[in-house]
Amino acid sequence: MTSLSPSSGAAPTLEMVAALAGVSRSTVSRVVNLSPKVTPEVVDAVNAAISTLGYVPNRAARILASRKTESIALVIPENTAKFFADPFFASVIQGVATYLSKTEYTLTLLIASETDPLKTRKYLTGGNVDGALVLSHHSDDHSYVELGQTMPIVFGGRPMSEGGPSHVVDVDNVAAASTAVQHLIEHGKKSIATIAGPQDMAAGLDRLEGWRRTVTAAGLPAELFETADFTPAGGASAMRRILDTGKPFDGLFAASAQMASGALGVLREHGIDVPGQVGVTTIDNDYYAKNANPPLTTVDQPSMAQGAMMAEVLVRIIAGEDVDVLTIMPTHLIERASV
């Protein structure tokens, strides 16, 4: 009589499971790959045999059979220094990871700016992942939008290049900036400068537009602005350029809390009191907003919830569901001592 138990040190095989369950090898394969073409009774018999023998399905074989890797890539086209310095990325990743922990998918993180774009593209299209999330997209990188034509892609933030259709999870950056600027106007500010974000990113463009629309609608000048790179150093440099113009202002909207924190340091250096002489608002309710001196009035964008929603949308697309192309996350103003 042939034993159905694996020999010492040998792993149970598909054939052994088939013999114990009294079915063919191909039937076991269908059960392992979750085929709907197997009766519940057979599924129960095969699963009982798998449990008895301690059989572990071969992941590589399952991928070949199902063409599913059960893996998702999160691509961030930024350099490592910016990635590790920006709390926004950590918060979004936490949201993505938390959502995926409840699914069959694992997460692969690609910090892609310092990698050859062709290398990243080859990885994404080489059967290694079922789909990708792209965060922090710049206008000079068309490859990820183009990939959306051949594999499921969800962008965190509106992509800057054409090529869709692309699924996007974002906040209304124009409205968020408008809320921050309107708060300054409601506190009597008559000349409001802005430090805008990079103009090769949708968030940078849209937040500048929100400032411009709001001050113009209030009959205020829309002429005192500089751009920077969403970092404290960039915010400080832009603040110095604004001060160098010699034009008076009593309000400042910075397009990110990191830039606002850098601007506050420069204002202190010049003996300008915040909020006594200049009121300051920003976007992002992160470490920089909460620990600035003074703490910053800000528009909170729910970055962790945005990450979870990005993951949910991608998983639903992979599953073949119809999903809205654009998902807008809510924002709200948090008042602190900078106004």
Side-chain angles (χ1 to χ4, degrees):
M1 180 176 177
T2 303
S3 172
L4 295 178
S5 299
S7 60
S8 177
T13 65
L14 200 69
E15 289 75 11
M16 294 170 64
V17 173
L20 183 58
V23 298
S24 67
R25 185 184 187 282
S26 60
T27 297
V28 174
S29 180
R30 283 193 288 272
V31 172
V32 167
N33 289 294
L34 306 178
S35 170
K37 299 179 180 180
V38 188
T39 66
E41 294 78 12
V42 171
V43 171
D44 290 343
V46 171
N47 284 335
I50 287 173
S51 178
T52 298
L53 295 172
Y55 172 71
V56 179
N58 184 296
R59 179 171 172 79
R62 289 186 64 184
I63 290 171
L64 288 173
S66 68
R67 298 190 179 277
K68 282 187 66 177
T69 66
E70 296 181 356
S71 181
I72 283 173
L74 173 55
V75 184
I76 301 179
E78 297 287 358
N79 62 59
T80 52
K82 181 169 176 56
F83 170 78
F84 285 109
D86 193 335
F88 173 74
F89 296 133
S91 185
V92 173
I93 292 169
Q94 185 175 353
V96 172
T98 299
Y99 181 85
L100 292 183
S101 69
K102 306 170 194 171
T103 73
E104 63 190 0
Y105 292 95
T106 57
L107 178 64
T108 299
L109 178 62
L110 302 175
I111 306 173
S113 179
E114 294 170 350
T115 302
D116 182 347
L118 292 177
K119 182 179 179 181
T120 302
R121 185 186 180 96
K122 183 178 179 182
Y123 177 84
L124 293 175
T125 58
N128 298 294
V129 297
D130 296 328
L133 307 167
V134 180
L135 191 63
S136 196
H137 188 263
H138 295 259
S139 62
D140 60 353
D141 193 343
H142 304 273
S143 59
Y144 301 112
V145 175
E146 292 167 355
L147 277 178
Q149 300 175 9
T150 57
M151 68 182 298
I153 300 278
V154 175
F155 287 87
R158 175 169 60 87
M160 286 290 293
S161 39
E162 300 296 328
S166 297
H167 286 78
V168 177
V169 179
D170 202 359
V171 299
D172 186 335
N173 282 292
V174 174
S178 180
T179 296
V181 175
Q182 187 63 39
H183 187 71
L184 291 168
I185 294 170
E186 290 170 356
H187 282 74
K189 306 307 178 185
K190 300 300 184 184
S191 179
I192 300 172
T194 188
I195 299 174
Q199 298 300 285
D200 66 343
M201 300 182 70
L205 284 169
D206 290 350
R207 293 175 191 182
L208 178 59
E209 179 62 19
W211 165 80
R212 182 179 288 113
R213 287 185 192 179
T214 308
V215 295
T216 300
L220 303 179
E223 55 190 30
L224 193 54
F225 72 92
E226 292 287 341
T227 61
D229 59 357
F230 284 143
T231 67
S237 179
M239 189 74 261
R240 291 189 181 96
R241 294 195 299 272
I242 289 173
L243 291 171
D244 286 344
T245 68
K247 296 178 181 178
F249 61 97
D250 56 4
L252 173 70
F253 164 62
S256 78
Q258 289 196 60
M259 295 196 300
S261 69
L264 285 177
V266 173
L267 291 172
R268 274 195 305 273
E269 290 173 6
H270 285 75
I272 299 172
D273 181 67
V274 175
Q277 294 170 272
V278 174
V280 179
T281 60
T282 189
I283 295 177
D284 292 326
N285 186 33
D286 57 17
Y287 169 88
Y288 291 93
K290 296 172 184 176
N291 293 280
N293 182 22
L296 289 162
T297 291
T298 190
V299 175
D300 180 26
Q301 56 173 344
S303 48
M304 191 180 302
Q306 181 180 359
M309 181 58 69
M310 289 169 62
E312 178 183 345
V313 169
L314 183 58
V315 168
R316 291 177 61 194
I317 294 169
I318 293 170
E321 296 183 31
D322 289 330
V323 186
D324 289 340
V325 172
L326 177 62
T327 303
I328 296 295
M329 305 298 293
T331 60
H332 66 279
L333 184 75
I334 297 176
E335 296 185 44
R336 295 199 178 99
S338 63
V339 180

